């Protein structure tokens, strides 16, 4: 069978599935299946650039397009998904969460897709879509820039994690100068569950000497081989930045530019030869997980309709009884979560307290030294200058401390969040297992309830802004006092101010960290409760509908059972059709 026949077969099966999903009210699969049909009809292929923050994802996309279209920076930046596909003319549209669209100019992109221009996504952007006249994008390729994972802006990590199931193939960026981090390993493991084709790019090779480069390539290849358990790794060392700048007249730069050309050739080869089968495979995987969900719902409907009323009522009572323990688990989890968060807050306090004492002493020492030196060199030393110096020193020290402290906080936080998400997924699994067991529904051990699973992650972010330091106007009239006395006076005032300023700024950090933790926990708890209640309501709805039907005539009940049986048969046919088609 050629591609078009396979695509046609897959599409006709998915269309049957859509029809079925529309009939079965107890699921919300219909829009998801609809999107899949659209994507397959247009042969839209999601080639997604992934990786930790600041690895150079956005720069690589610009280099592939050959123009600095998307904004890049030295700080974690991209916060919104950007989908770029072929168009005769450049056109950029922002799609908001309420589905409103706005056409913007390239110069305005920064205001929507970056953490700086749109902090914490306060503009409620869903995604950005760009039409771009590049030959590379022809044939339905959608090149997608994602927010980097693992930065302090956890909502960015969340956006990217949520998008993983929609990826057809990935370009996974690593950096030549840094070994892979724990966050990257975890992320790669998650991506592998959904994506069969992954290209690895070892970026920033321009900063390494040729010897260090070969060591870095060998090391990363080895790590990936072990991690993926396979010998063949598609690893492309290159420099996105140099390739984008592609300056002529310098041989080494030309060589680096060539690595990007080689990578583009490999991608082109893939597009021409493998893209279509990968597209079908990825689509089929998504569809199979939707079918598992649908099958569970239809079987539950069938079994509950087939049971005699008395037995059904008994089972409903049993289900409701078991729900008590589910709810108990649920409230125990929130109790555990708040416990874990208080431990984390306690740890933050301790760390800040330790830093406060240390920083107060260090600043006193550093500033006294500076006043002594400046006072001797510069007769015009003013209180304001000294205050400014203190502010600079304090901002520097706080920023250095934050750089060390915040990654530790994130690691601890992600661990708590990860454990909690596993617990919730266990609870969701359990809900289905309880009802499956009560109604004798056979659940295939593979993949179990993957499609029901909670895929969101815990969102949490901390402002990256400067520390707020007010510099009060100078009140002492210089000149009235002798230089020496004046110096001593400045010193005395500022030593006291150091204590206050360190105390106040540590307090602000403490507030910011704990407030963000509590806010994100509250939101998470709300989302989880809604999700669990939604699943329970779905199951109860099926059971109670069946009870009501039992009160109708025998004839009507029987025709309803026949209808559901028929749906199950249709679903099995679709399943078989899929297997034959692919
Ligand atoms: N030396 C060097 N720097 C690079 C290269 N590619 C990107 N950079 C720099 O790395 C920094 C981050 O680049 P971005 O493209 O914004 O990285 P990103 O992965 O998109 O970052 P996020 O959007 O925050 O996840 C910028 O300062 C780039 O100029 C490269 O090949 N070599
Ligand atoms: Mg970026």
């Amino acid at each position: 069978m050629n591609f078009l026949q396979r695509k046609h077969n897959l599409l006709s099966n998915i269309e049957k599935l859509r029809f079925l999903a529309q009939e079965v009210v107890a699921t919300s699969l219909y829009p998801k299946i609809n999107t899949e049909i659209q994507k397959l009809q247009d042969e839209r292929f999601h080639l997604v650039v992934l990786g930790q923050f600041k690895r150079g994802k956005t720069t690589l996309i610009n280099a592939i397009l050959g123009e600095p279209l998307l904004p890049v920076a030295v700080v974690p930046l991209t916060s919104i998904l950007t989908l770029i596909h072929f168009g005769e003319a450049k056109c950029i549209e922002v799609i908001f969460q309420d589905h409103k669209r706005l056409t913007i100019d390239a110069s305005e992109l920064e205001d929507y897709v970056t953490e700086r221009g749109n902090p914490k996504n306060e503009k409620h952007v869903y995604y950005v879509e760009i039409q771009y006249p590049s030959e590379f994008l022809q044939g339905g390729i959608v090149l997608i820039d994602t927010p980097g994972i693992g930065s302090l802006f956890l909502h960015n990590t969340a956006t990217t994690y949520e998008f993983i199931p929609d990826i057809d193939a990935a370009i996974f960026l690593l950096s030549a100068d840094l070994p892979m981090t724990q966050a990257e390993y975890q992320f790669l493991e998650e991506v592998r569950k959904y994506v069969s084709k992954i290209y690895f790019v070892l970026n920033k090779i321009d900063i390494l000497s040729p010897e260090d480069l070969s060591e870095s390539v060998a090391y990363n290849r080895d790590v990936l081989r072990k991690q993926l358990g396979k010998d063949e790794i598609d690893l492309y060392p290159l420099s996105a930045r140099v390739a984008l700048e592609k300056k002529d007249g310098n041989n080494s730069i030309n060589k680096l530019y060539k690595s990007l050309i080689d990578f583009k050739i490999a991608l082109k080869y893939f597009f021409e030869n493998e893209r279509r089968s990968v597209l079908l495979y990825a689509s089929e995987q998504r569809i199979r997980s939707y079918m598992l969900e649908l099958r569970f719902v239809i079987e539950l409907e069938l079994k509950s309709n087939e049971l005699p009323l008395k037995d059904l009522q008994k089972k409903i009572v049993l289900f409701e009884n078991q729900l008590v323990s589910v709810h108990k688990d649920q409230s125990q989890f929130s109790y555990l979560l708040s416990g874990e968060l208080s431990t984390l807050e306690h740890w933050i306090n301790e760390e800040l307290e330790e830093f406060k004492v240390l920083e107060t002493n260090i600043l006193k020492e550093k500033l006294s030294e500076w006043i002594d030196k400046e006072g001797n060199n510069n007769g015009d030393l003013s209180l304001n200058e000294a205050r400014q110096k203190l502010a600079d020193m304090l901002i520097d020290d706080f920023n250095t401390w934050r750089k060390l402290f915040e990654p530790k906080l994130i690691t601890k936080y992600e661990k708590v969040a990860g454990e909690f998400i596993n617990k919730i997924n266990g609870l969701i699994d359990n809900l289905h297992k309880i009802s499956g067991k009560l109604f004798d529904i056979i659940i295939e051990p593979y993949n179990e309830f993957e499609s029901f699973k909670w895929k969101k992650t815990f969102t949490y972010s901390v402002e990256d802004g400067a520390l707020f330091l007010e510099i009060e106007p100078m009140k002492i009239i210089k000149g009235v006092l002798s230089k020496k006395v004046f110096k001593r006076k400045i010193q005395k005032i500022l030593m006291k101010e150091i204590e206050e300023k360190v105390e106040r700024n540590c307090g602000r950090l403490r507030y910011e960290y704990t407030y963000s933790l509590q806010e994100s926990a509250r939101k998470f708890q709300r989302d989880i409760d809604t999700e669990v209640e939604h699943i329970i309501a779905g199951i109860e709805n099926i059971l109670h509908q069946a009870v009501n039907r039992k009160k109708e005539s025998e004839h009507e009940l029987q025709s309803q059972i026949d209808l559901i049986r028929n749906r199950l048969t249709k679903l099995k046919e679709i399943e078989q059709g899929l297997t034959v088609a692919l």
Side-chain angles (χ1 to χ4, degrees):
M1 238 192 287
N2 66 24
F3 167 77
L4 282 179
Q5 285 165 325
R6 287 167 65 205
K7 175 182 147 186
H8 179 76
N9 272 340
L10 182 59
L11 266 174
S12 79
N13 279 304
I14 306 179
E15 265 155 16
K16 284 183 207 155
L17 194 69
R18 173 170 62 177
F19 192 69
L20 211 54
Q22 201 175 13
E23 282 182 0
V24 181
V25 282
T27 81
S28 50
L29 284 174
Y30 183 77
K32 290 187 198 164
I33 298 175
N34 227 0
T35 311
E36 193 62 44
I37 290 176
Q38 276 296 321
K39 185 172 174 297
L40 200 56
Q41 267 168 350
D42 302 347
E43 287 184 33
R44 248 184 295 140
F45 187 88
H46 287 171
L47 176 66
V48 183
V49 184
L50 298 171
Q52 187 147 336
F53 66 101
K54 284 190 1 189
R55 292 298 189 237
K57 297 175 291 300
T58 308
T59 312
L60 178 68
I61 290 185
N62 286 340
I64 290 175
L65 300 176
E67 185 200 346
L69 176 70
L70 306 177
V72 299
V74 285
V75 292
L77 195 73
T78 310
S79 58
I80 297 293
L81 291 167
T82 306
L83 281 63
I84 311 166
H85 48 87
F86 183 80
E88 294 297 339
K90 199 195 292 181
C91 173
I92 306 176
E93 270 191 306
V94 181
I95 292 91
F96 294 92
Q97 282 161 351
D98 61 5
H99 298 280
K100 286 201 180 111
R101 301 173 87 96
L102 174 73
T103 305
I104 58 161
D105 189 69
S107 60
E108 294 170 280
L109 256 175
E110 176 145 10
D111 301 337
Y112 295 94
V113 301
T114 70
E115 196 53 55
R116 216 166 28 208
N118 178 14
K120 290 186 184 165
N121 195 13
E122 63 184 16
K123 291 179 183 152
H124 304 288
V125 177
Y126 185 18
Y127 62 97
V128 166
E129 204 164 77
I130 303 182
Q131 291 189 31
Y132 193 82
S134 163
E135 192 249 335
F136 182 84
L137 301 169
Q138 269 174 345
I141 306 297
V142 187
L143 190 58
I144 301 173
D145 192 17
T146 59
I149 59 119
S151 80
L152 198 57
F153 302 106
L154 285 184
H155 55 286
N156 291 347
T157 303
T159 304
T160 300
Y161 262 85
E162 279 168 38
F163 193 64
I164 297 175
D166 293 323
I167 298 175
D168 295 309
I171 300 176
F172 197 104
L173 253 79
L174 301 170
S175 193
D177 57 332
L178 298 163
M180 262 176 98
T181 63
Q182 192 55 34
E184 277 173 313
Y185 283 122
Q186 266 176 15
F187 182 52
L188 179 57
E189 276 310 298
E190 193 59 23
V191 173
R192 283 180 64 205
K193 284 190 202 156
Y194 296 88
V195 187
S196 65
K197 186 75 189 174
I198 306 176
Y199 285 94
F200 292 93
V201 162
L202 191 63
N203 193 29
K204 308 197 183 181
I205 62 170
D206 55 299
I207 49 184
L208 296 187
S209 66
E211 302 79 55
D212 287 348
L213 173 61
S214 34
E215 198 177 320
S216 170
V217 172
Y219 171 79
N220 280 288
R221 205 180 277 286
D222 200 39
V223 164
L224 290 171
R225 272 195 193 121
K226 282 191 191 125
Q227 178 85 0
L228 305 182
K230 60 179 194 180
D231 279 346
E232 280 300 305
I233 304 289
D234 290 311
L235 179 69
Y236 293 83
L238 53 85
S239 166
R241 189 158 80 185
V242 174
L244 178 63
E245 288 164 1
K246 62 172 174 187
K247 289 177 196 131
D248 287 322
N250 177 326
N251 278 341
S252 72
I253 284 181
N254 274 339
K255 215 169 117 205
L256 288 176
Y257 177 53
K258 206 180 153 293
S259 342
L260 178 80
I261 306 282
D262 289 345
F263 180 52
K264 280 177 83 171
I265 291 173
L267 289 175
K268 270 274 163 211
Y269 180 83
F270 165 74
F271 294 161
E272 273 154 29
N273 298 287
E274 291 173 58
R275 165 179 55 105
R276 293 178 131 183
S277 47
V278 169
L279 181 77
L280 286 183
Y281 177 78
S283 189
E284 187 212 340
Q285 292 306 309
R286 286 188 281 270
I287 290 302
R288 281 198 188 279
S289 90
Y290 300 158
M291 290 206 311
L292 278 179
E293 180 171 336
L294 202 57
R295 190 165 67 78
F296 177 81
V297 171
I298 300 178
E299 287 207 21
L300 186 61
E301 240 186 324
L302 180 64
K303 292 279 165 64
S304 51
N305 276 285
E306 280 176 342
L307 276 177
L309 182 59
K310 265 204 173 132
D311 292 352
L312 176 60
Q313 279 167 332
K314 255 193 226 156
K315 297 219 181 230
I316 292 179
V317 172
L318 283 174
F319 179 69
E320 301 292 338
N321 283 346
Q322 302 215 30
L323 275 191
V324 175
S325 77
V326 170
H327 284 308
K328 219 163 103 193
D329 281 351
Q330 202 182 346
S331 57
Q332 207 179 14
F333 291 165
S334 46
Y335 181 71
L336 275 178
L337 177 69
S338 51
E340 295 271 8
L341 290 184
S342 328
T343 313
L344 209 54
E345 280 170 22
H346 187 70
W347 173 76
I348 293 172
N349 275 340
E350 278 180 355
E351 294 282 306
L352 272 168
E353 211 41 50
E354 199 180 303
F355 170 64
K356 191 178 84 185
V357 175
L358 206 70
E359 177 60 9
T360 309
N361 291 335
I362 288 175
L363 271 182
K364 279 183 178 172
E365 216 170 282
K366 280 202 297 195
L367 193 72
S368 300
E369 243 173 59
W370 183 84
I371 292 174
D372 268 348
K373 212 166 119 229
E374 282 300 299
N376 293 337
N377 297 342
N378 168 9
D380 287 337
L381 173 68
S382 75
L383 181 61
N384 254 4
E385 274 175 287
R387 274 205 177 109
Q388 185 57 52
K389 185 68 196 170
L390 168 61
D392 292 346
M393 284 175 173
L394 189 139
I395 289 178
D396 264 6
D397 288 1
F398 266 73
N399 281 341
T400 310
W401 183 80
R402 290 177 68 175
K403 268 197 198 124
L404 288 171
F405 174 73
E406 288 173 4
K408 285 195 277 179
L409 172 59
I410 288 195
T411 311
K412 279 180 182 279
Y413 181 85
E414 282 182 344
K415 195 161 168 275
V416 171
E419 279 167 12
F420 196 71
I421 288 169
N422 283 343
K423 283 194 168 73
I424 291 299
N425 275 332
L427 192 123
I428 293 175
D429 273 3
N430 202 22
L431 263 174
H432 289 102
K433 275 188 185 142
I434 289 172
S435 39
K437 214 167 164 187
L438 273 174
F439 292 88
D440 294 326
I441 299 173
I442 299 160
I443 295 152
E444 290 173 42
Y446 96 97
N447 210 359
E448 281 202 334
F449 295 106
E450 198 51 54
S451 70
F452 288 105
K453 287 232 161 85
W454 178 264
K455 299 210 179 67
K456 290 187 187 144
T457 182
F458 220 166
T459 61
Y460 166 48
S461 68
V462 174
E463 290 296 342
D464 198 26
L467 292 151
F468 322 97
L469 277 157
E470 312 93 38
I471 299 163
E472 300 89 24
M474 190 181 91
K475 291 196 189 81
I476 295 174
I477 305 141
K478 191 163 66 69
V480 177
L481 305 162
S482 79
K483 232 160 71 176
K484 206 169 152 201
V485 175
F486 185 66
K487 231 167 67 179
R488 237 186 289 129
K489 187 104 185 151
I490 289 183
Q491 217 147 10
K492 204 169 156 213
I493 295 170
L494 289 184
M495 290 308 115
K496 194 159 174 296
E497 280 187 15
I498 285 176
E499 284 172 20
E500 286 164 12
K501 282 185 193 296
V502 173
E503 170 88 45
R504 193 162 65 234
N505 283 295
C506 280
R508 283 200 170 119
L509 276 184
R510 182 181 304 116
Y511 175 78
E512 178 66 36
Y513 291 144
T514 48
Y515 177 77
S516 311
L517 275 182
Q518 284 162 3
E519 261 308 287
S520 96
R522 252 196 299 276
K523 186 174 173 307
F524 191 56
Q525 191 72 62
R526 241 190 350 253
D527 285 358
I528 290 284
D529 288 349
T530 316
E531 178 86 2
V532 172
E533 287 319 312
H534 179 76
I535 292 175
I536 293 175
I539 295 172
E540 284 178 337
N541 191 19
I542 295 177
L543 303 180
H544 291 127
Q545 259 186 12
V547 171
N548 287 338
R549 279 214 192 90
K550 306 266 160 203
K551 295 174 184 157
E552 291 169 1
S553 73
E554 188 58 35
H555 174 72
E556 270 177 64
L557 178 65
Q558 194 50 49
S559 67
Q560 184 63 28
I561 290 176
D562 290 344
L563 195 78
I564 303 172
R565 272 208 192 115
N566 195 290
R567 283 181 194 149
L568 207 56
T569 314
K570 275 194 210 149
L571 187 65
K572 280 184 184 143
E573 277 168 14
I574 299 173
E575 254 164 353
Q576 276 163 3
L578 264 188
T579 314
V580 175
L582 299 158

